[in-house]
Amino acid sequence: MGVSENPPWTAWPDGAPVPGEESEPSGVEIDLLTGFAQTLDADVVWVAGSETDLMAQLDEGELDVVVAGLESTTAWSSHAAITTSYAATRDDAGAEIRHVMATRAGENDFLVALETYLLDQEVAP
């Protein structure tokens, strides 16, 4: 799972993982993906990086999901499969922001399973 820091959705202790040290991210999306992985009886390996680096790894099949507090208007929709919105917040002007995650294009069964899980959750940032 690729993680680009964007609190409260995703965060690393002290802002970024230290190379060679194990650390676990936290945040709304981290909790969601941890729960989803449990439904699949899957182990999670967290990979930190910029959105650009993580999306390249997603495209290469090195990651299954990228989380970064992505919004439904993300420019990455032409590079990845974007989940349906699972949460909504408001910006400072009161406009609605719909939140999504990115998965590898072509992995439709995985995308549907993740979306089904997300839509069953009550998400509060």
Side-chain angles (χ1 to χ4, degrees), residues 1-123:
M1 309 286 184
V3 181
S4 185
E5 187 166 57
N6 187 357
W9 304 99
T10 57
W12 287 94
D14 301 321
V18 176
E21 291 184 18
E22 288 191 31
S23 64
E24 291 287 321
S26 61
V28 173
E29 293 179 333
I30 303 307
D31 294 342
L32 288 169
L33 287 180
T34 299
F36 175 63
Q38 289 172 348
T39 69
L40 301 175
D41 197 27
D43 293 325
V44 177
V45 176
W46 302 107
V47 176
S50 69
E51 285 183 28
T52 300
D53 291 341
L54 295 173
M55 289 298 182
Q57 291 177 56
L58 183 69
D59 188 50
E60 293 296 320
E62 297 169 10
L63 298 172
D64 294 313
V65 179
V66 171
V67 291
L70 298 173
E71 299 173 8
S72 61
T73 57
T74 182
W76 296 113
S77 61
S78 62
H79 302 280
I82 304 299
T83 65
T84 57
S85 174
Y86 64 87
T89 58
R90 300 253 175 220
D91 66 14
D92 292 338
E96 185 178 67
I97 299 170
R98 308 291 296 171
H99 295 274
V100 299
M101 295 180 184
T103 66
R104 188 164 186 226
E107 299 293 332
N108 296 339
D109 289 342
F110 182 82
L111 177 63
V112 169
L114 176 57
E115 287 179 328
T116 300
Y117 177 81
L118 292 173
L119 292 173
D120 286 341
Q121 306 307 302
E122 292 185 28
V123 179

